[in-house]
Amino acid sequence: MQNKIYHLTPEGLKKYKEEYKRLNGILKESRSKIKEIRDELWRPEDLNSDYEPMESELISVETRIKELENILKNTKTIKKSKQTKPKIVTVGTTVVVEADGQIDEFTIVDTLEANPSMGKISNESPVGKALLGCKKSEVIVVHSAIKATYKIIKIKYA
Amino acid sequence: MPKKDDELKKLANFFINVGELKNKKRKGWELRDVKNPETIAAHSFRMAIMAWVLGEKRKLNTNRVLKMSLIHDVCEVYAGDTTPYDKMLPKNKKKLRGLLDKWPRLSKKEKEKNFREKYKKEKKALQKITSGLSPNLKKEINNLWDDYEKGLTREGRFVRQLDRLENLLQALEYWEKGEKFMIEPWWIQIKELIDDPILLEFMNVLDKKFHKGKK
């Protein structure tokens, strides 16, 4: 896995720590169950139909734990500034924009926490990237054959 | 073996239910009066192929991305297909056209509310359609779907973005054939959503291929 640095909110980090703890518990339990089944077998044909999915789930859990270890090792927590109003758009701020005559609102987050349906866009998406570092009243244009224009109306902490 | 026979009967019911997606047209195309719009199953089919091939380039778990692509819309057998415009559809056809010409903008609060309502409805539908399956298979499908919906893993986030990218590709194909709708909303959405490097590159390829320097 690449050594990318993740910028997580304290809530996001807490979520990953809780998942890591929970999965380690599941891993211990699953390994013990599988060992029990194997120890009681005389022949491979005696394996019940649930054994393979159990082994497959164990592999998924192990893979996920490795992923979480990488995330937890390479995370910087976004600390809330003592200022009441952010001056520029950064990861962790919410931006109110005017786009195509309508008002929209996004919170800029790390890729791990992105969920555009919930109004959280990734700092690595074309729009998220273009908004980073901008101030209130700035206008950004995201180019391609179709141009998308965003005027920053307000910046606030999420 | 009676137990295996019973399990296979339940699987047959599950496959028949899932097969309904071969008959359900995608709602977004119906709203736009697209001729012979694709079905939900057709979308899942191409998405699965894209997930497999593009996912391998990102060294993702192929097994996981394939399964996730295949089941991501299974809940729509009971929950139905949705579009981002569902909460604001006017009855007037002229007003509808105007609405569909732009990407819908909502407050963060509205987005969160809509997401939670949709998630709840679709989760219930997924639990209904998987209710007759073995505990392990039911758990696997529900976990894969949850991962896709919430972007819990690299695979989940990738497939979620790919869902929109396949939809963009389909929109571009219809648009190029002369279907009468504005293509801008898809580009607006995709640029707020995609951040995976290979999908960003693929998005640029589609941009050049379908727009060829034209505006």
Side-chain angles (χ1 to χ4, degrees):
Chain A
M1 267 184 231
Q2 299 160 344
N3 274 341
K4 185 179 147 59
I5 302 293
Y6 301 101
H7 296 90
L8 293 178
T9 59
E11 298 77 25
L13 182 62
K14 184 182 173 201
K15 201 180 71 174
Y16 282 111
K17 280 184 174 169
E18 282 170 357
E19 188 188 353
Y20 182 70
K21 190 179 174 187
R22 183 178 60 82
L23 288 182
N24 273 299
I26 292 173
L27 185 70
K28 200 176 171 185
E29 205 182 297
S30 298
R31 277 180 177 158
S32 143
K33 262 188 200 157
I34 284 177
K35 187 180 179 302
E36 234 177 79
I37 292 171
R38 281 193 190 134
D39 288 347
E40 283 169 22
L41 286 180
W42 287 98
R43 308 165 298 175
E45 308 90 86
D46 291 337
L47 275 174
N48 68 30
S49 63
D50 284 342
Y51 179 80
E52 226 179 82
M54 216 185 284
E55 229 190 9
S56 170
E57 197 193 337
L58 178 67
I59 294 167
S60 292
V61 168
E62 284 170 343
T63 308
R64 180 61 178 159
I65 285 174
K66 274 200 186 111
E67 189 175 39
L68 289 170
E69 278 170 355
N70 180 58
I71 290 169
L72 293 172
K73 207 169 68 179
N74 295 292
T75 285
K76 275 189 180 163
T77 318
I78 300 165
K79 287 190 175 79
K80 219 172 186 170
S81 167
K82 287 180 184 152
Q83 296 175 341
T84 47
K85 277 186 196 168
K87 288 192 176 146
I88 60 167
V89 179
T90 57
V91 178
T93 57
T94 296
V95 200
V96 179
V97 296
E98 186 192 317
D100 205 15
Q102 302 174 84
I103 302 295
D104 204 333
E105 201 176 338
F106 316 115
T107 300
I108 313 294
V109 294
D110 189 277
T111 184
L112 294 178
E113 294 190 87
N115 189 344
S117 303
M118 290 265 273
K120 295 179 189 175
I121 68 168
S122 165
N123 59 337
E124 293 173 32
S125 66
V127 171
K129 231 184 202 170
L131 285 168
L132 286 175
C134 291
K135 296 179 199 168
K136 185 180 163 182
S137 304
E138 266 192 73
V139 176
I140 60 137
V141 181
V142 182
H143 282 280
S144 65
I146 308 292
K147 261 198 289 188
T149 306
Y150 298 79
K151 182 179 176 182
I152 298 171
I153 308 277
K154 196 177 184 179
I155 309 169
K156 53 187 178 176
Y157 287 111
Chain B
M1 285 186 262
K3 194 184 174 187
K4 201 152 198 168
D5 196 47
D6 187 50
E7 191 191 343
L8 288 175
K9 272 189 190 154
K10 286 181 178 172
L11 281 174
N13 289 335
F14 173 68
F15 297 148
I16 289 166
N17 283 336
V18 162
E20 280 301 309
L21 295 181
K22 294 197 278 181
N23 303 320
K24 288 186 185 292
K25 310 280 187 204
R26 295 261 276 168
K27 189 175 176 183
W29 308 133
E30 288 185 311
L31 285 176
R32 290 167 176 87
D33 294 326
V34 166
K35 290 188 260 321
N36 300 316
E38 63 164 349
T39 62
I40 297 171
H43 156 69
S44 296
F45 163 69
R46 183 161 67 176
M47 192 177 140
I49 294 186
M50 289 170 76
W52 161 29
V53 174
L54 295 175
E56 274 193 353
K57 290 184 181 296
R58 293 284 283 136
K59 296 186 174 28
L60 297 177
N61 181 321
T62 303
N63 183 299
R64 205 170 166 80
V65 298
L66 264 172
K67 286 179 179 178
M68 218 180 278
S69 301
L70 289 169
I71 62 92
H72 84 287
D73 276 346
V74 151
C75 57
E76 292 181 2
V77 170
Y78 295 124
D81 192 15
T82 58
T83 74
Y85 302 89
D86 286 350
K87 296 263 171 156
M88 46 180 88
L89 294 174
K91 287 192 178 136
N92 181 294
K93 205 134 194 190
K94 201 175 175 183
K95 281 187 179 166
L96 175 64
R97 276 249 168 237
L99 178 73
L100 298 174
D101 283 347
K102 290 185 178 186
W103 175 244
R105 299 284 179 192
L106 300 167
S107 70
K108 212 163 153 252
K109 234 181 184 172
E110 281 171 317
K111 289 177 195 177
E112 285 170 3
K113 182 173 178 269
N114 289 347
F115 177 82
R116 289 199 175 100
E117 281 175 5
K118 182 175 177 277
Y119 176 85
K120 195 176 171 185
K121 183 182 176 189
E122 290 185 342
K123 190 168 180 83
K124 198 174 171 185
L126 187 72
Q127 284 168 342
K128 182 177 175 182
I129 201 167
T130 56
S131 59
L133 300 176
S134 73
N136 281 325
L137 182 56
K138 182 164 47 178
K139 190 179 174 187
E140 186 183 9
I141 292 174
N142 278 277
N143 284 348
L144 284 165
W145 184 82
D146 232 30
D147 187 353
Y148 159 78
E149 278 293 314
K150 293 175 180 171
L152 297 174
T153 64
R154 288 176 70 215
E155 286 77 15
R157 291 187 288 277
F158 184 83
V159 172
R160 189 171 62 183
Q161 293 182 31
L162 193 63
D163 174 51
R164 301 290 84 223
L165 201 56
E166 196 284 331
N167 184 233
L168 167 67
L169 176 55
Q170 186 62 71
L172 288 164
E173 287 170 315
Y174 284 147
W175 178 73
E176 198 176 56
K177 279 186 185 150
E179 291 289 348
K180 304 245 180 299
F181 57 75
M182 303 284 275
I183 197 67
E184 280 82 357
W186 277 272
W187 282 112
I188 304 257
Q189 186 198 23
I190 216 84
K191 286 180 186 185
E192 292 172 9
L193 191 142
I194 303 274
D195 71 356
D196 181 274
I198 198 87
L199 299 185
L200 284 169
E201 277 184 55
F202 188 73
M203 182 188 79
N204 290 335
V205 163
L206 294 183
D207 191 349
K208 286 178 188 144
K209 182 179 174 61
F210 285 91
H211 294 286
K212 295 186 182 83
K214 29 181 205 214
K215 282 189 181 173

